[in-house]
Amino acid sequence: MPMDMTGPIRDQVDKRRKEAQKYQAEGNKEKATQAYRQCAELMRQLAGLSTTPEIRKQRLQSALDYEELAKRAFNPPKAEPTSAEGGHAEDKDQESIDSAIEALIYKSSVTWNDIGGLETTKEVFKEAYALAIAQRPEGVHLPPWRAILLYGPPGTGKTMLAAAASNGLGATFFNVRLSSILSKYFGESTKLLSALYVASRERAPSLVYLDEFESIGSAVSDGGGPEGRILATLRAELDGLAGKDDPRYVLTIAVTNEPWKLDKPILSRFKKVIYVPLPDQATRQDIFNKTLKKHGLACEIQPSELASRSEGYSGREIDAICDEAISIMVKEANPQLTSLVDQGRESVEKYTIRVRPLTSKDFDVSLSRRKPRTTPADLRRFDEWARGLE
């Protein structure tokens, strides 16, 4: 029986990658470049040992990514300007894209404990995390989950789940609103998306959060229009990121409030498709409890009673209900607050805001001012769409 050489080569890739990152952090460009190029050569060796054309393609793509990292590590000087404007248009375009990528990086402070309920969904993310970093038995390859789709009504905690997952992974969090990319970087959206995934692999482990996924998820990927081109690019990236032998972990989380707008080919790229529902009674109670504790205010009404009175509200709407109740309380306890502003900044700075416990009346008014956005018809539509996946 022939010896399987892929395991030792993968170990060498991981070793050289860590060395490259260490040299890069130390400012040793030459050694970092050399180590990344060794990674590329090792990935090409793995490509030669591939058992299917798909795996070979994925490994060759990883080799190209390492070559790109080698170029960036060395950071060669730019060519001399060729025009009176002072610089190549391509250099300027790349600088613009690099700047846009940096702007997408977000440092999350959200933890699992900050999220009320959704215990089953949290478990899915933790399982993905464990599969990504745990050691495998010798000769066993268990591919980590690379793409998860979250869908459900607005305000149910999908963004917080992704933020908490990035913290749990110790990952670089790329927060991407796809509709913004399409409008702000019209014509450059595919370049930006490709650069995003190059950067995510470079800074792995990474989490790429794609908000408003429905804005491209139904486009025709035949190159017709920016939505179609960016969708085609995303499909290629998700297929490439599914490579079993790239040690750099990038998790893509796409989020949508309108999953019925997504086409089946893009849905097939996701390992998990998860419904994030409106909070139930126990979850609403947990959200009220966490929110009120966060503000450090006493409350005369129990979170359990508030939960009973807020059926059909999302987590975001519950936060808004609490904010509104607090605003009502502050205004009532401090009737002179606005007049202090007319007296000047010094008067405001000397004043200490008075507070009292929140009452049932505060929440009566707050609840009367805010009605749930999600209707029973909306919920039925989510249910019908989910049944269509079975």
Side-chain angles (χ1 to χ4, degrees):
M1 183 177 181
M3 181 180 296
D4 180 10
M5 293 299 297
T6 60
I9 296 175
R10 285 196 299 267
D11 291 342
Q12 285 297 311
V13 171
D14 191 44
K15 180 180 178 181
R16 295 290 180 268
R17 176 178 58 85
K18 291 177 180 177
E19 288 176 352
Q21 292 170 340
K22 174 177 174 290
Y23 290 136
Q24 204 165 4
E26 294 171 351
N28 193 329
K29 297 179 181 180
E30 290 77 12
K31 287 191 175 182
T33 300
Q34 182 181 11
Y36 277 132
R37 285 176 177 163
Q38 288 172 344
C39 288
E41 178 57 33
L42 288 165
M43 289 308 301
R44 282 190 283 268
Q45 290 181 32
L46 278 173
L49 298 172
S50 301
T51 55
T52 68
E54 290 78 12
I55 292 176
R56 183 176 185 276
K57 179 180 177 181
Q58 291 160 2
R59 291 171 177 175
L60 288 174
Q61 179 59 53
S62 293
L64 291 174
D65 289 342
Y66 280 122
E67 291 286 5
E68 179 64 25
L69 288 174
K71 293 177 183 177
R72 293 192 178 200
F74 187 65
N75 191 25
K78 294 179 180 179
E80 290 299 318
T82 58
S83 66
E85 285 76 12
H88 289 294
E90 289 184 1
D91 290 338
K92 292 180 178 179
D93 288 345
Q94 187 60 49
E95 288 176 5
S96 176
I97 289 174
D98 289 344
S99 177
I101 295 298
E102 290 297 321
L104 296 175
I105 297 176
Y106 173 73
K107 178 60 179 174
S108 169
S109 60
V110 178
T111 67
W112 297 120
N113 292 332
D114 295 325
I115 301 173
L118 300 176
E119 298 305 323
T120 301
T121 309
K122 291 178 190 176
E123 288 299 309
V124 172
F125 279 101
K126 291 176 182 178
E127 186 176 352
Y129 169 54
L131 282 172
I133 67 171
Q135 298 293 321
R136 273 75 166 149
E138 186 175 352
V140 174
H141 180 68
L142 301 173
W145 298 347
R146 303 275 188 172
I148 296 174
L149 175 70
L150 301 180
Y151 73 96
T156 50
K158 297 182 288 294
T159 302
M160 289 187 70
L161 282 165
S166 72
N167 257 343
L169 283 166
T172 307
F173 188 20
F174 293 88
N175 191 359
V176 184
R177 180 166 292 180
L178 289 169
S179 62
S180 176
I181 286 180
L182 286 169
S183 60
K184 189 174 181 181
Y185 298 97
F186 186 84
E188 298 293 326
S189 54
T190 54
K191 289 183 181 179
L192 182 61
L193 190 64
S194 295
L196 167 66
Y197 276 97
V198 169
S200 70
R201 290 188 283 271
E202 182 178 347
R203 301 178 186 224
S206 297
L207 190 151
V208 177
Y209 176 75
L210 303 177
D211 198 8
E212 300 178 356
F213 194 61
E214 69 278 359
S215 63
I216 66 160
S218 60
V220 178
S221 58
D222 59 0
E227 294 91 348
R229 289 192 293 273
I230 195 172
L231 180 58
T233 302
L234 179 60
R235 285 175 175 169
E237 289 292 349
L238 291 178
D239 286 340
L241 285 174
K244 300 177 181 180
D245 300 291
D246 192 337
R248 297 167 296 172
Y249 184 56
V250 177
L251 173 63
T252 297
I253 297 179
V255 174
T256 179
N257 300 329
E258 301 174 284
W260 39 84
K261 290 186 175 181
L262 308 181
D263 69 355
K264 290 184 178 180
I266 193 64
L267 283 172
S268 68
R269 267 67 178 185
F270 292 93
K271 176 75 173 181
K272 290 284 184 179
V273 178
I274 302 172
Y275 179 51
V276 184
L278 290 174
D280 58 15
Q281 166 81 17
T283 302
R284 294 196 301 275
Q285 179 175 332
D286 192 23
I287 294 171
F288 273 113
N289 190 46
K290 289 179 185 296
T291 302
L292 294 172
K293 279 187 175 181
K294 176 181 67 177
H295 289 293
L297 294 169
C299 188
E300 294 179 353
I301 183 172
Q302 293 298 314
S304 57
E305 183 178 344
L306 290 171
S308 297
R309 296 170 60 184
S310 57
E311 185 175 358
Y313 286 84
S314 70
R316 183 188 301 155
E317 290 167 335
I318 289 173
D319 283 342
I321 288 168
C322 292
D323 289 343
E324 182 78 14
I326 292 169
S327 178
I328 293 166
M329 177 273 290
V330 169
K331 186 174 182 179
E332 182 182 293
N334 302 268
Q336 75 279 38
L337 191 59
T338 54
S339 63
L340 288 174
V341 176
D342 297 330
Q343 299 174 27
R345 176 172 177 173
E346 186 176 350
S347 296
V348 179
E349 289 177 338
K350 289 180 178 179
Y351 183 78
T352 300
I353 293 176
R354 300 184 182 94
V355 298
R356 61 162 172 75
L358 295 168
T359 65
S360 180
K361 182 180 177 181
D362 297 326
F363 284 99
D364 288 341
V365 176
S366 179
L367 284 163
S368 70
R369 292 178 179 176
R370 296 182 178 274
K371 301 301 180 182
R373 285 181 56 190
T374 305
T375 67
D378 294 329
L379 296 178
R380 286 194 297 273
R381 191 169 189 184
F382 283 114
D383 185 56
E384 290 167 3
W385 183 82
R387 287 202 299 269
L389 295 179
E390 296 174 355

